[in-house]
Amino acid sequence: MAIQTVATSPIPGQRPGTSGLRKKVAVFQQPHYLENFVQGVFDTLGNASGKTLVLGGDGRFHNRHAIQVILKMAAAHGFARVLLGQGGILSTPAASCVIRKHDALGGIILSASHNPGGPDGDFGIKYNASNGGPAPEALTEAIYARTLALAQYRISDAPDIDIDTPGAHAVIEGMQVEVIDPVADYAELMSKLFDFDAIRRLFAGGFTMRFDAMNAVSGPYAHAILEGMLGAPAGTVINGVPLEDFGGLHPDPNPVNAEELIDIMSANAAPDFGAASDGDADRNMIVGRDFVVTPSDSLAVLAANATAAPGYADGIAGIARSMPTSQAADRVAAELGVPCFETPTGWKYFGTLLDAGKATLCGEESYGTGSRHIREKDGLWAVLFWLNLLAVRSASVQEIVTAHWQRFGRHYYSRHDYEAIATDSAQLLMQDLRIKLRNLPGQKLNHYEVQAADDFEYTDPVDGSHASQQGIRIMMTDGSRIVYRLSGTGTEGATLRVYLERFEADPAHHNIPTQQALAGLIAIADSVASIVMHTGRTNPTVIT
């Protein structure tokens, strides 16, 4: 074995987005593409001598090849040890758990999260720091800057190693590769946070559930914890084997893409509880019998009932939510007397708040919920939290949520996505909106009066870092909101996300169909932004 220095040149477009670098598989298969980005990561990190790296991914196509490349490059850069998920499998929340438990320098996670997989699908890579969380923007910008100056990368010429047999393997250039059980550390942590005895009794008493792993990485975790440790009947977990193309499914846990689960939960003999997770297991959808819980409501309900779980028995220090997420959690925080932080979209913005002990629970409207236990959102964690709550409350999902609305009011909420639109058109739409902002306050629009309008900016209360142009907000005098934002998670064109929120205090008006309740705001959103003119789209691609 020998370390080789390979000549290369910068490849445009390797700036990480909201959660790492995501491109089509064919892009990552280009000569030097993966190697250049990994070299940029290692150069930015500096001396790795004696350090541990965590490595794994969601099992999608190209994952196994990328694992071998990264192992050889890590060896060439002096790492002492790599902890590798068996078969290259390691969910994003489990990777965060392993980084923290084993005091690793950081980890490389191979995933495009909820994006489709397969040879014609998407691939992604991101670096998580020593706290287990996504690299902060300063670090990702430094990595990107380094990719623009590369002239070479270093890699061992060692043969591929067996990544499927647990245990320590022969060293590569002095670096030990340890293939670990991807579930063990994570399952141990979950057992400390939740009342597993109460959940076992729940299942033993006849409680039924379906968990849709969407042929993605949460399958092994759900099998081991739900059906293994907690005694849920065999068959509780469906689509539980990770497949390179996710079996043709789009592994995004929402009512549109998790159609099989929605059909099961809408049937006459539906299980008591339903849930789904995404490609890398960091997202979740919670479903009752013919009743879908919005991610915003899920965060608020868990915050209001946090002390039901042993890991949160002492209460919570605060809540953090992304700006487009509904303000339902704000009302819970106010009653609990704790702060609620409004951050830009991207889990990395929660990291400093969690590290400083300012927030305990965090959530994003894009089906992401998590807490201080790791530094990533965590799909199965949210499901276990709900199971713990259901075991304690002896009520259905719908009963718990409707009781929450009666106590705090209901935030009608929806997101309209316009996917794969021309990037130039999307940018022009946002530019035109920014020009209109100053004239919107005071205007009356379709029975609503605009109180304020801005382009959201954020200054981190812990480290003072600043982020601007994080989404355009139009806020009404009655608390309703319209938010426009371009997504950073797609790989084709641009995705315009339009978020709509209306607060209703009166329980007598809590059962209006969501799109009907939001109809006035939808019309305003289309009109103010001239969506049809800019995009050519008369309807959203996806409504959630």
Side-chain angles (χ1 to χ4, degrees), residues 3-17:
I3 296 174
Q4 297 181 326
T5 299
V6 180
T8 189
S9 57
I11 299 174
Q14 291 196 323
R15 171 179 272 129

Side-chain angles (χ1 to χ4, degrees), residues 335-415:
E335 181 163 313
L336 295 177
V338 300
C340 187
F341 299 93
E342 184 179 39
T343 75
T345 296
W347 208 261
K348 59 190 176 185
Y349 292 105
F350 296 143
T352 57
L353 298 171
L354 293 168
D355 287 345
K358 291 181 176 292
T360 303
L361 300 185
C362 305
E364 294 183 329
E365 51 72 35
S366 54
Y367 294 87
T369 325
S371 88
R372 64 189 177 197
H373 69 291
I374 56 172
R375 295 298 180 268
E376 286 280 5
K377 48 186 175 281
D378 191 345
L380 190 52
W381 168 89
V383 174
L384 291 169
F385 210 142
W386 268 94
L387 283 170
N388 198 147
L389 179 56
L390 290 163
V392 170
R393 289 281 298 272
S394 300
S396 71
V397 172
Q398 183 169 358
E399 288 168 345
I400 288 173
V401 175
T402 53
H404 182 90
W405 290 342
Q406 290 172 359
R407 178 180 174 188
F408 294 99
R410 180 176 181 181
H411 289 255
Y412 284 101
Y413 185 85
S414 184
R415 189 180 88 188

Side-chain angles (χ1 to χ4, degrees), residues 228-265:
M229 299 172 71
L230 296 174
T236 294
V237 179
I238 60 175
N239 299 316
V241 177
L243 302 175
E244 289 193 334
D245 65 350
F246 305 120
L249 297 179
H250 185 163
D252 191 355
N254 61 51
V256 175
N257 292 320
E259 182 180 9
E260 179 181 357
L261 178 66
I262 295 299
D263 288 344
I264 289 171
M265 296 305 298

Side-chain angles (χ1 to χ4, degrees), residues 323 342 430 433-434 436-438 440-441 450-457 469-475 481-484:
M323 180 272 288
E342 184 179 39
M430 296 297 284
L433 272 173
R434 291 186 181 103
K436 295 175 182 177
L437 286 177
R438 69 183 67 179
L440 284 174
V450 179
Q451 182 179 58
D454 64 11
D455 197 348
F456 181 61
E457 297 188 9
Q469 294 193 344
Q470 295 298 307
I472 291 172
R473 303 184 297 179
I474 300 176
M475 294 159 282
R481 296 192 308 162
I482 301 169
V483 175
Y484 304 86

Side-chain angles (χ1 to χ4, degrees), residues 56-58 89-96 109 182 186 217-218 221 280-282:
D58 60 17
I89 294 292
L90 198 60
S91 76
T92 292
S96 182
I109 301 173
Y186 177 84
V217 79
S218 66
Y221 297 84
D280 65 336
D282 64 354

Side-chain angles (χ1 to χ4, degrees), residues 79-337:
F79 280 93
R81 181 174 67 150
V82 172
L83 298 177
L84 171 67
Q86 184 180 4
I89 294 292
L90 198 60
S91 76
T92 292
S96 182
C97 171
V98 173
I99 291 168
R100 293 170 63 80
K101 178 177 178 178
H102 296 277
D103 297 319
L105 175 65
I108 291 179
I109 301 173
L110 301 171
S111 174
S113 189
H114 56 289
N115 292 7
D120 298 320
D122 298 338
F123 191 75
I125 179 172
K126 70 172 183 173
Y127 178 75
N128 277 36
S130 59
N131 71 344
E137 191 165 1
L139 181 54
T140 58
E141 282 298 301
I143 292 169
Y144 172 61
R146 182 59 189 151
T147 67
L148 298 176
L150 287 177
Q152 61 188 32
Y153 61 84
R154 299 194 306 282
I155 187 169
S156 171
D157 64 358
D160 288 355
I161 70 163
D162 173 13
I163 66 173
D164 296 305
T165 304
H169 288 258
V171 297
I172 304 174
E173 310 290 356
M175 181 187 78
Q176 178 178 304
V177 179
E178 184 178 346
V179 178
I180 63 172
D181 178 343
V183 178
D185 288 334
Y186 177 84
E188 178 188 34
L189 179 58
M190 294 301 105
S191 70
K192 296 176 181 177
L193 296 175
F194 302 112
D195 189 343
F196 273 23
D197 288 337
I199 300 173
R200 288 189 194 99
R201 290 193 295 270
L202 184 70
F203 282 120
F207 182 87
T208 55
M209 174 186 178
R210 288 294 180 276
F211 179 90
D212 190 351
M214 306 191 82
N215 297 318
V217 79
S218 66
Y221 297 84
H223 278 301
I225 297 174
L226 297 177
E227 295 182 353
M229 299 172 71
L230 296 174
T236 294
V237 179
I238 60 175
N239 299 316
V241 177
L243 302 175
E244 289 193 334
D245 65 350
F246 305 120
L249 297 179
H250 185 163
D252 191 355
N254 61 51
V256 175
N257 292 320
E259 182 180 9
E260 179 181 357
L261 178 66
I262 295 299
D263 288 344
I264 289 171
M265 296 305 298
S266 300
N268 290 332
D272 297 300
F273 180 54
S277 192
D278 70 327
D280 65 336
D282 64 354
R283 299 185 180 209
N284 74 92
M285 179 175 69
I286 302 299
V287 189
R289 286 179 172 169
D290 202 25
F291 187 85
V292 178
V293 183
T294 71
S296 297
D297 279 343
S298 182
L299 172 64
V301 168
L302 294 182
N305 296 276
T307 55
Y312 308 91
D314 294 334
I316 61 176
I319 307 170
R321 64 165 177 83
S322 64
M323 180 272 288
T325 302
S326 95
Q327 299 166 98
D330 301 47
R331 294 182 180 273
V332 174
E335 181 163 313
L336 295 177

